[in-house]
Amino acid sequence: MLIIAIAGLLANLFAFWLLHRGTEEKNINVRAAALHVLGDLLGSVGAIVAAIVILSTGWTPIDPILSVLVSCLVLRSAWRLLKESFHELLEGTPQEVDINKLQKDLCLNIPEVRNIHHVHVWQIGEQKLMTLHAQVIPPNDHDGLLRRIQAYLLEHYRIGHVTIQMEYQHCDTPDCGINRAPEPSDHSHSGSHSHLGHHH
């Protein structure tokens, strides 16, 4: 039991090292594999300890006790990974993206941007995707402004695929989130804003 546990420990240490030396350590699949190896690694440590205790004292219940303890240690990390997987499958906003901060950053760092609203962020695999409305000062170089917004999001938020709808006036559609308080005469001007369509 002791010899096999030591061999298993060495094999799992090598596998764990291989999984953590690459550039894709944040990949959820690699992390799941690493968690599996970690469980085996802790199991090998538990088996070594149990073997030493049994050799020294003859008390065999130590083996299942340590097995349960190792399982409890792995369970917490497994549950966290499972929740993250469900969040990604349901296309929830990545936890590391602060949308309020992102909106302020774009307005502060790109002078032509007046307002960022109607923002949606989700993740497929390791790729973050975003759609947003940008109310801007009419630029001399429309495509240049788009590239600057996209470059800023890629550099500071690692969002490489962004669909941007640029607007020169306030967005009056109900889901934009920057509407003025409704007035009796407003309904007649509900289509007065300008949309330039979606640009990738």
Side-chain angles (χ1 to χ4, degrees):
M1 176 180 174
L2 181 61
I3 293 172
I4 293 174
I6 291 173
L9 176 64
L10 294 176
N12 285 309
L13 282 172
F14 179 69
F16 198 73
W17 174 77
L18 284 177
L19 287 170
H20 279 77
R21 66 189 293 266
T23 58
E24 299 296 327
E25 61 182 21
K26 292 187 177 180
N27 184 294
I28 195 168
N29 295 315
V30 174
R31 287 165 51 205
L35 181 63
H36 179 81
V37 172
L38 178 63
D40 289 344
L41 193 154
L42 292 175
S44 296
V45 172
I48 291 172
V49 173
I52 293 172
V53 171
I54 292 171
L55 284 172
S56 302
T57 66
W59 191 54
T60 56
I62 187 64
D63 188 31
I65 291 173
L66 289 178
S67 296
V68 172
L69 179 62
V70 168
S71 299
C72 291
L73 290 174
V74 175
L75 182 61
R76 181 180 178 185
S77 296
W79 177 247
R80 187 186 308 117
L81 191 65
L82 183 63
K83 288 197 299 182
E84 185 176 335
S85 300
F86 272 110
H87 186 73
E88 183 174 318
L89 287 171
L90 294 174
E91 297 187 352
T93 301
Q95 296 179 356
E96 67 271 21
V97 177
D98 185 337
I99 291 181
N100 289 329
K101 183 177 184 299
L102 183 149
Q103 291 171 303
K104 294 176 182 177
D105 285 349
L106 282 174
C107 294
L108 288 173
N109 291 282
I110 302 179
E112 295 90 340
V113 176
R114 293 176 172 175
N115 187 278
I116 297 292
H117 52 279
H118 202 34
V119 180
H120 298 281
V121 188
W122 68 102
Q123 185 165 329
I124 298 178
E126 297 306 302
Q127 183 181 29
K128 297 185 183 71
L129 300 96
M130 170 183 282
T131 64
L132 61 85
H133 289 198
Q135 184 195 355
V136 301
I137 299 171
N140 294 324
D141 184 358
H142 178 274
D143 291 341
L145 178 56
L146 277 175
R147 285 193 295 270
R148 285 162 57 202
I149 295 173
Q150 290 167 340
Y152 185 89
L153 291 171
L154 179 60
E155 179 181 355
H156 294 86
Y157 289 90
R158 298 179 61 192
I159 302 175
H161 186 95
V162 187
T163 300
I164 301 171
Q165 179 165 305
M166 295 178 67
E167 303 163 345
Y168 298 158
Q169 302 178 23
H170 276 288
C171 179
D172 292 328
T173 59
D175 56 352
C176 277
I178 61 168
N179 303 325
R180 292 172 296 138
E183 297 176 5
S185 59
D186 275 356
H187 67 277
S188 62
H189 302 288
S190 60
S192 61
H193 65 286
S194 171
H195 290 268
L196 298 182
H198 292 275
H199 304 271
H200 295 270

